[in-house]
Amino acid sequence: MRHLFLKPLLQLNLIRRSSTFVKIVEVGPRDGLQNEASVVPTATKIKLINDLSECNLPVIEATSFVSPKWVPQMADHSEVMAGITRHDNITYTVLTPNMKGFDKAISVKADEVAVFGAASEAFSRKNINCSIDDSLKRFEPVLAAAKEKNIPVRGYVSCVCGCPYQGHVSTADVIRVTEKLVEMGCYEVSLGDTIGVGTSHAMRNLISDLIKVVPVSSLAVHCHDTFGQALANIVTALELGVRTVDSSIAGLGGCPYAKGASGNVATEDVVYMLDGNGMETNVDLEKLVKVGEFISDYLGRPNMSKAGLAMLSKM
């Protein structure tokens, strides 16, 4: 069996060795595309992932093994995973909500799997049709099977700064779910500001409380830019020691269960900001900008990356 834990562990070791290194988790092919109204052809998804691989991104979230009934855009998950050209230095991760999804992910040799929960009870019921506690119970067999097969598992917590259905989400609820995911075996938990309502003040308070109970090295941030606060929130997380940032090429994305939530923060903008502030990503920004323009053109939608547009005007 391949030592599938090797890639994530090497990346964690790099982060620990260099306080200036930031791991970028590119979520465009999954989180970015899942909300597109028209089905994106499998060949286009494969090209997108292959082009992103050429940018030297350390982690690419390739697809989701959810039921096509809930997310039709991801129905071709197995075909996508079979068709991409993999790079040895890149982790290709996929979402797996249950054992059925996990088994399919393993059959196509996913490097890593992810489980996704929420800190909001209302959002959990809308998104995965069960309570927070029930969702955590559903993850138990996935975590157990992953441990047996030596597959690393990443966790997501949605709505850490607010919920489209219930509004306020308490820090205590975020901590409870995050702590539980770490206890269950997630090596990393991504904190999702799903509707982009968070501010740097809220992010600082949240992470400051979280790192009292879980290691900061196990945290990542996943910021949507609905109110234009994503980069500020990322900087705040970095100041507190977080060294993993989720982002999406050209700012693709939203959330099918969070009406009005605009896209993720653009990967190009994050990399430009980090490079300009002396942080290391090892990502080829010029190549990344061209990929953002390609997928924006294909989808017929505006490129939401300010850095990308500025750089393209000079190319």
Side-chain angles (χ1 to χ4, degrees):
M1 176 180 288
R2 297 179 303 156
H3 295 288
L4 294 174
F5 254 121
L6 185 59
K7 291 181 182 179
L9 287 181
L10 286 174
Q11 290 159 2
L12 283 175
N13 287 336
L14 179 56
I15 292 170
R16 289 169 182 147
R17 286 201 304 272
S18 172
S19 62
T20 62
F21 180 80
V22 178
K23 181 178 75 172
I24 302 294
V25 178
E26 172 57 55
V27 301
R30 195 281 302 177
D31 197 27
L33 294 182
Q34 72 174 4
N35 206 32
E36 289 296 318
S38 299
V39 174
V40 179
T42 303
T44 302
K45 294 174 183 174
I46 291 171
K47 174 175 170 51
L48 174 60
I49 295 169
N50 287 345
D51 288 352
L52 289 168
S53 294
E54 293 296 327
C55 299
N56 202 36
L57 289 152
V59 183
I60 298 175
E61 188 180 65
T63 187
S64 176
F65 285 79
V66 297
S67 169
K69 174 184 176 183
W70 299 111
V71 187
Q73 188 67 255
M74 299 288 110
D76 58 353
H77 38 54
S78 295
E79 292 81 2
V80 168
M81 290 299 290
I84 61 176
T85 300
R86 304 193 189 206
H87 292 215
D88 289 340
N89 62 328
I90 297 175
T91 296
Y92 298 91
T93 184
V94 302
L95 254 64
T96 54
N98 50 40
M99 279 304 300
K100 184 177 180 180
F102 176 80
D103 289 338
K104 287 183 178 180
I106 297 309
S107 72
V108 295
K109 297 180 172 58
D111 294 320
E112 175 183 300
V113 300
V115 294
F116 51 96
S120 157
E121 193 67 48
F123 190 84
S124 182
R125 293 185 183 279
K126 286 279 188 179
N127 192 16
I128 50 181
N129 302 300
C130 65
S131 68
I132 293 173
D133 288 340
D134 285 343
S135 72
L136 294 171
K137 289 177 183 177
R138 286 184 186 180
F139 301 153
E140 288 177 354
V142 175
L143 269 294
K147 182 177 181 181
E148 183 179 338
K149 294 181 180 295
N150 202 31
I151 304 292
V153 182
R154 191 176 201 242
Y156 282 96
V157 182
S158 299
C159 299
V160 300
C161 293
C163 171
Y165 306 110
Q166 73 179 49
H168 174 72
V169 175
S170 74
T171 297
D173 286 338
V174 179
I175 291 174
R176 181 174 74 89
V177 177
T178 303
E179 190 173 19
K180 181 63 176 177
L181 287 171
V182 172
E183 288 175 356
M184 291 170 67
C186 291
Y187 80 94
E188 185 172 271
V189 176
S190 179
L191 306 171
D193 182 11
T194 308
I195 55 175
V197 296
T199 62
S200 55
H201 176 75
M203 185 65 72
R204 184 176 299 279
N205 288 342
L206 174 63
I207 294 177
S208 296
D209 286 341
L210 266 170
I211 59 180
K212 295 174 184 177
V213 293
V214 297
V216 70
S217 60
S218 67
L219 297 178
V221 288
H222 182 118
C223 299
H224 284 227
D225 204 33
T226 314
F227 288 86
Q229 301 299 298
L231 289 178
N233 290 341
I234 290 168
V235 169
T236 298
L238 294 172
E239 289 174 347
L240 293 168
V242 173
R243 288 295 180 268
T244 301
V245 176
D246 297 1
S247 58
S248 179
I249 188 71
L252 295 178
C255 179
Y257 300 97
K259 186 176 181 180
S262 61
N264 295 282
V265 66
T267 306
E268 302 96 310
D269 294 355
V270 173
V271 173
Y272 178 86
M273 179 188 73
L274 293 171
D275 286 352
N277 283 285
M279 306 297 280
E280 303 169 60
T281 63
N282 297 334
V283 176
D284 188 321
L285 181 56
E286 287 197 5
K287 287 184 178 179
L288 195 67
V289 165
K290 293 175 182 177
V291 178
E293 186 66 0
F294 151 71
I295 192 61
S296 297
D297 282 348
Y298 179 84
L299 296 173
R301 52 161 290 167
N303 185 334
M304 300 304 290
S305 168
K306 291 181 173 64
L309 291 174
M311 291 180 66
L312 284 165
S313 71
K314 299 177 182 180
M315 288 182 179

